[in-house]
Amino acid sequence: GIGGIGGIGGIGGIGGDGGGGGAEGAGGLKDLSNVLDPNKVVAGGFSFGAATAGLAASTDEAGKPCTKYCAAVLIDGWWHIALKKAKVNVDLPRQAHERGISIPSLFIGSDEFQGYADLKDGTDRLQAKVPDKSVHVMSGTRHGNFMDAIWWLPKWVTCNLGFSGKTVDPHQTYAEFVGMVADFVDERADRASAK
C-alpha cells in the first residue's frame, strides 16, 4: 500500500537522517530509504506541517522534480505569514514558492484561511506553481476542523467556542476531508502500480 508521513510537525526521520544525525532520524527511526518505494510514499501535513511537506515535495535546486514521494497531501497550510507590526510578509516555504512542486498535490483548505487575504494570496501563488493539483476549500470550515481534537471534544465545545465551523457538523466535515485524502492516495497507488 501507500505510506504517508507528516503531521502538524511535518516530515522528519524517514528517508534520510531527518536532522537527527547518524543512521537514526529525529524520531529515532532508522534510515528507511533503502526499503521504501518512493512511488508509494506520500508526503503530507497539516497547518505548518503542510508547509514542511510542501518543502519536502518541492522541485530541487537544479530544477529536478521530487523523487522521494509520489504525491503530496497539504491540509490547510501556512503558505504565507504576514505580521504587520513586526513588518514580516513572507511566503512559506520559500523554496516551494520559488521552485514549485512537481508531484501531484492535494490541497484541502478551510473557509477561515480563505478569509485572510495575505494567506489566501500566498496559497494561490504556490498553487499556480503546481501543475498537477487538486484544490478543495471546504465550505463553512475553520482551521480546527482538520484536527483530530474534534473527535475527543464535545461538538458543543468545538462549535460554540469557534474551534470548528458553526454551520457544519465537525464529524461529517472530518469524514469528508479524510475521504478526499483516501481517494487521492488510492488514485496515486493505482498510478504507481501501473508503472
Side-chain angles (χ1 to χ4, degrees), residues 114-132:
Q114 291 292 297
Y116 303 126
D118 291 331
L119 179 54
K120 181 187 181 316
D121 292 346
T123 302
D124 291 345
R125 282 190 296 276
L126 177 62
Q127 289 172 351
K129 294 189 174 189
V130 182
D132 185 358

PDB file of all heavy atoms in Angstrom, residues 114-132:
ATOM      1  N   GLN A 114      -9.245  31.130   3.872  1.00  0.00           N
ATOM      2  CA  GLN A 114      -9.577  31.896   2.671  1.00  0.00           C
ATOM      3  C   GLN A 114      -9.896  33.346   3.027  1.00  0.00           C
ATOM      4  O   GLN A 114      -9.789  34.232   2.188  1.00  0.00           O
ATOM      5  CB  GLN A 114     -10.775  31.267   1.946  1.00  0.00           C
ATOM      6  CG  GLN A 114     -10.473  29.933   1.309  1.00  0.00           C
ATOM      7  CD  GLN A 114      -9.515  30.066   0.153  1.00  0.00           C
ATOM      8  OE1 GLN A 114      -9.807  30.712  -0.841  1.00  0.00           O
ATOM      9  NE2 GLN A 114      -8.347  29.446   0.278  1.00  0.00           N
ATOM     10  N   GLY A 115     -10.291  33.575   4.284  1.00  0.00           N
ATOM     11  CA  GLY A 115     -10.659  34.914   4.731  1.00  0.00           C
ATOM     12  C   GLY A 115      -9.482  35.809   5.076  1.00  0.00           C
ATOM     13  O   GLY A 115      -9.660  37.014   5.295  1.00  0.00           O
ATOM     14  N   TYR A 116      -8.279  35.263   5.151  1.00  0.00           N
ATOM     15  CA  TYR A 116      -7.082  36.062   5.414  1.00  0.00           C
ATOM     16  C   TYR A 116      -6.426  36.356   4.069  1.00  0.00           C
ATOM     17  O   TYR A 116      -5.812  35.482   3.458  1.00  0.00           O
ATOM     18  CB  TYR A 116      -6.113  35.318   6.332  1.00  0.00           C
ATOM     19  CG  TYR A 116      -6.708  34.903   7.654  1.00  0.00           C
ATOM     20  CD1 TYR A 116      -6.655  33.584   8.082  1.00  0.00           C
ATOM     21  CD2 TYR A 116      -7.311  35.834   8.492  1.00  0.00           C
ATOM     22  CE1 TYR A 116      -7.200  33.193   9.296  1.00  0.00           C
ATOM     23  CE2 TYR A 116      -7.861  35.450   9.709  1.00  0.00           C
ATOM     24  CZ  TYR A 116      -7.797  34.138  10.106  1.00  0.00           C
ATOM     25  OH  TYR A 116      -8.333  33.757  11.310  1.00  0.00           O
ATOM     26  N   ALA A 117      -6.562  37.602   3.607  1.00  0.00           N
ATOM     27  CA  ALA A 117      -6.158  37.960   2.241  1.00  0.00           C
ATOM     28  C   ALA A 117      -4.706  37.591   1.929  1.00  0.00           C
ATOM     29  O   ALA A 117      -4.428  37.006   0.878  1.00  0.00           O
ATOM     30  CB  ALA A 117      -6.390  39.449   1.998  1.00  0.00           C
ATOM     31  N   ASP A 118      -3.782  37.918   2.815  1.00  0.00           N
ATOM     32  CA  ASP A 118      -2.368  37.619   2.547  1.00  0.00           C
ATOM     33  C   ASP A 118      -2.125  36.113   2.462  1.00  0.00           C
ATOM     34  O   ASP A 118      -1.380  35.642   1.595  1.00  0.00           O
ATOM     35  CB  ASP A 118      -1.462  38.217   3.629  1.00  0.00           C
ATOM     36  CG  ASP A 118      -1.413  39.738   3.573  1.00  0.00           C
ATOM     37  OD1 ASP A 118      -1.580  40.295   2.473  1.00  0.00           O
ATOM     38  OD2 ASP A 118      -1.203  40.358   4.629  1.00  0.00           O
ATOM     39  N   LEU A 119      -2.748  35.350   3.350  1.00  0.00           N
ATOM     40  CA  LEU A 119      -2.593  33.901   3.350  1.00  0.00           C
ATOM     41  C   LEU A 119      -3.223  33.299   2.101  1.00  0.00           C
ATOM     42  O   LEU A 119      -2.631  32.432   1.441  1.00  0.00           O
ATOM     43  CB  LEU A 119      -3.208  33.296   4.612  1.00  0.00           C
ATOM     44  CG  LEU A 119      -3.146  31.783   4.766  1.00  0.00           C
ATOM     45  CD1 LEU A 119      -1.723  31.262   4.642  1.00  0.00           C
ATOM     46  CD2 LEU A 119      -3.755  31.371   6.094  1.00  0.00           C
ATOM     47  N   LYS A 120      -4.402  33.763   1.737  1.00  0.00           N
ATOM     48  CA  LYS A 120      -5.063  33.271   0.525  1.00  0.00           C
ATOM     49  C   LYS A 120      -4.217  33.572  -0.707  1.00  0.00           C
ATOM     50  O   LYS A 120      -4.029  32.710  -1.567  1.00  0.00           O
ATOM     51  CB  LYS A 120      -6.451  33.888   0.367  1.00  0.00           C
ATOM     52  CG  LYS A 120      -7.176  33.375  -0.875  1.00  0.00           C
ATOM     53  CD  LYS A 120      -8.472  34.103  -1.114  1.00  0.00           C
ATOM     54  CE  LYS A 120      -9.212  33.605  -2.324  1.00  0.00           C
ATOM     55  NZ  LYS A 120      -8.446  33.361  -3.521  1.00  0.00           N
ATOM     56  N   ASP A 121      -3.685  34.787  -0.793  1.00  0.00           N
ATOM     57  CA  ASP A 121      -2.857  35.156  -1.947  1.00  0.00           C
ATOM     58  C   ASP A 121      -1.598  34.297  -2.014  1.00  0.00           C
ATOM     59  O   ASP A 121      -1.186  33.868  -3.096  1.00  0.00           O
ATOM     60  CB  ASP A 121      -2.481  36.637  -1.894  1.00  0.00           C
ATOM     61  CG  ASP A 121      -3.687  37.558  -2.107  1.00  0.00           C
ATOM     62  OD1 ASP A 121      -4.743  37.083  -2.555  1.00  0.00           O
ATOM     63  OD2 ASP A 121      -3.548  38.766  -1.803  1.00  0.00           O
ATOM     64  N   GLY A 122      -0.959  34.045  -0.859  1.00  0.00           N
ATOM     65  CA  GLY A 122       0.223  33.178  -0.828  1.00  0.00           C
ATOM     66  C   GLY A 122      -0.110  31.762  -1.259  1.00  0.00           C
ATOM     67  O   GLY A 122       0.654  31.121  -1.988  1.00  0.00           O
ATOM     68  N   THR A 123      -1.264  31.264  -0.813  1.00  0.00           N
ATOM     69  CA  THR A 123      -1.721  29.929  -1.207  1.00  0.00           C
ATOM     70  C   THR A 123      -1.941  29.880  -2.714  1.00  0.00           C
ATOM     71  O   THR A 123      -1.506  28.941  -3.389  1.00  0.00           O
ATOM     72  CB  THR A 123      -3.005  29.558  -0.448  1.00  0.00           C
ATOM     73  OG1 THR A 123      -2.746  29.611   0.958  1.00  0.00           O
ATOM     74  CG2 THR A 123      -3.500  28.173  -0.825  1.00  0.00           C
ATOM     75  N   ASP A 124      -2.608  30.903  -3.247  1.00  0.00           N
ATOM     76  CA  ASP A 124      -2.862  30.963  -4.692  1.00  0.00           C
ATOM     77  C   ASP A 124      -1.554  31.009  -5.490  1.00  0.00           C
ATOM     78  O   ASP A 124      -1.433  30.351  -6.528  1.00  0.00           O
ATOM     79  CB  ASP A 124      -3.718  32.179  -5.047  1.00  0.00           C
ATOM     80  CG  ASP A 124      -5.151  32.071  -4.531  1.00  0.00           C
ATOM     81  OD1 ASP A 124      -5.587  30.962  -4.145  1.00  0.00           O
ATOM     82  OD2 ASP A 124      -5.838  33.125  -4.501  1.00  0.00           O
ATOM     83  N   ARG A 125      -0.565  31.773  -4.993  1.00  0.00           N
ATOM     84  CA  ARG A 125       0.730  31.843  -5.693  1.00  0.00           C
ATOM     85  C   ARG A 125       1.409  30.481  -5.733  1.00  0.00           C
ATOM     86  O   ARG A 125       1.963  30.081  -6.761  1.00  0.00           O
ATOM     87  CB  ARG A 125       1.652  32.868  -5.024  1.00  0.00           C
ATOM     88  CG  ARG A 125       1.338  34.308  -5.373  1.00  0.00           C
ATOM     89  CD  ARG A 125       2.425  35.258  -4.885  1.00  0.00           C
ATOM     90  NE  ARG A 125       2.543  35.294  -3.434  1.00  0.00           N
ATOM     91  CZ  ARG A 125       1.791  36.041  -2.635  1.00  0.00           C
ATOM     92  NH1 ARG A 125       0.850  36.819  -3.138  1.00  0.00           N
ATOM     93  NH2 ARG A 125       1.980  36.025  -1.327  1.00  0.00           N
ATOM     94  N   LEU A 126       1.378  29.758  -4.615  1.00  0.00           N
ATOM     95  CA  LEU A 126       2.010  28.433  -4.594  1.00  0.00           C
ATOM     96  C   LEU A 126       1.254  27.474  -5.507  1.00  0.00           C
ATOM     97  O   LEU A 126       1.864  26.759  -6.313  1.00  0.00           O
ATOM     98  CB  LEU A 126       2.067  27.866  -3.177  1.00  0.00           C
ATOM     99  CG  LEU A 126       2.660  26.458  -3.091  1.00  0.00           C
ATOM    100  CD1 LEU A 126       4.108  26.439  -3.573  1.00  0.00           C
ATOM    101  CD2 LEU A 126       2.538  25.906  -1.704  1.00  0.00           C
ATOM    102  N   GLN A 127      -0.058  27.452  -5.408  1.00  0.00           N
ATOM    103  CA  GLN A 127      -0.850  26.528  -6.220  1.00  0.00           C
ATOM    104  C   GLN A 127      -0.639  26.769  -7.713  1.00  0.00           C
ATOM    105  O   GLN A 127      -0.688  25.825  -8.505  1.00  0.00           O
ATOM    106  CB  GLN A 127      -2.327  26.626  -5.853  1.00  0.00           C
ATOM    107  CG  GLN A 127      -2.617  26.045  -4.485  1.00  0.00           C
ATOM    108  CD  GLN A 127      -4.037  26.307  -4.008  1.00  0.00           C
ATOM    109  OE1 GLN A 127      -4.792  27.068  -4.612  1.00  0.00           O
ATOM    110  NE2 GLN A 127      -4.412  25.666  -2.913  1.00  0.00           N
ATOM    111  N   ALA A 128      -0.350  28.008  -8.098  1.00  0.00           N
ATOM    112  CA  ALA A 128      -0.082  28.318  -9.503  1.00  0.00           C
ATOM    113  C   ALA A 128       1.197  27.645  -9.995  1.00  0.00           C
ATOM    114  O   ALA A 128       1.387  27.466 -11.200  1.00  0.00           O
ATOM    115  CB  ALA A 128       0.015  29.832  -9.701  1.00  0.00           C
ATOM    116  N   LYS A 129       2.072  27.243  -9.070  1.00  0.00           N
ATOM    117  CA  LYS A 129       3.333  26.593  -9.429  1.00  0.00           C
ATOM    118  C   LYS A 129       3.280  25.071  -9.257  1.00  0.00           C
ATOM    119  O   LYS A 129       4.312  24.419  -9.184  1.00  0.00           O
ATOM    120  CB  LYS A 129       4.472  27.183  -8.603  1.00  0.00           C
ATOM    121  CG  LYS A 129       4.724  28.637  -8.950  1.00  0.00           C
ATOM    122  CD  LYS A 129       5.969  29.144  -8.305  1.00  0.00           C
ATOM    123  CE  LYS A 129       6.247  30.554  -8.812  1.00  0.00           C
ATOM    124  NZ  LYS A 129       7.553  31.008  -8.365  1.00  0.00           N
ATOM    125  N   VAL A 130       2.068  24.548  -9.172  1.00  0.00           N
ATOM    126  CA  VAL A 130       1.881  23.096  -9.036  1.00  0.00           C
ATOM    127  C   VAL A 130       1.020  22.647 -10.217  1.00  0.00           C
ATOM    128  O   VAL A 130      -0.194  22.839 -10.214  1.00  0.00           O
ATOM    129  CB  VAL A 130       1.200  22.738  -7.691  1.00  0.00           C
ATOM    130  CG1 VAL A 130       1.066  21.229  -7.544  1.00  0.00           C
ATOM    131  CG2 VAL A 130       1.958  23.344  -6.523  1.00  0.00           C
ATOM    132  N   PRO A 131       1.659  22.053 -11.249  1.00  0.00           N
ATOM    133  CA  PRO A 131       0.886  21.714 -12.451  1.00  0.00           C
ATOM    134  C   PRO A 131      -0.159  20.622 -12.255  1.00  0.00           C
ATOM    135  O   PRO A 131      -1.219  20.669 -12.865  1.00  0.00           O
ATOM    136  CB  PRO A 131       1.962  21.277 -13.461  1.00  0.00           C
ATOM    137  CG  PRO A 131       3.187  21.023 -12.678  1.00  0.00           C
ATOM    138  CD  PRO A 131       3.076  21.780 -11.389  1.00  0.00           C
ATOM    139  N   ASP A 132       0.108  19.639 -11.414  1.00  0.00           N
ATOM    140  CA  ASP A 132      -0.821  18.524 -11.201  1.00  0.00           C
ATOM    141  C   ASP A 132      -1.373  18.635  -9.786  1.00  0.00           C
ATOM    142  O   ASP A 132      -0.758  18.161  -8.832  1.00  0.00           O
ATOM    143  CB  ASP A 132      -0.099  17.194 -11.407  1.00  0.00           C
ATOM    144  CG  ASP A 132      -1.025  15.980 -11.324  1.00  0.00           C
ATOM    145  OD1 ASP A 132      -2.243  16.155 -11.063  1.00  0.00           O
ATOM    146  OD2 ASP A 132      -0.529  14.853 -11.497  1.00  0.00           O
TER     147      ASP A 132
END
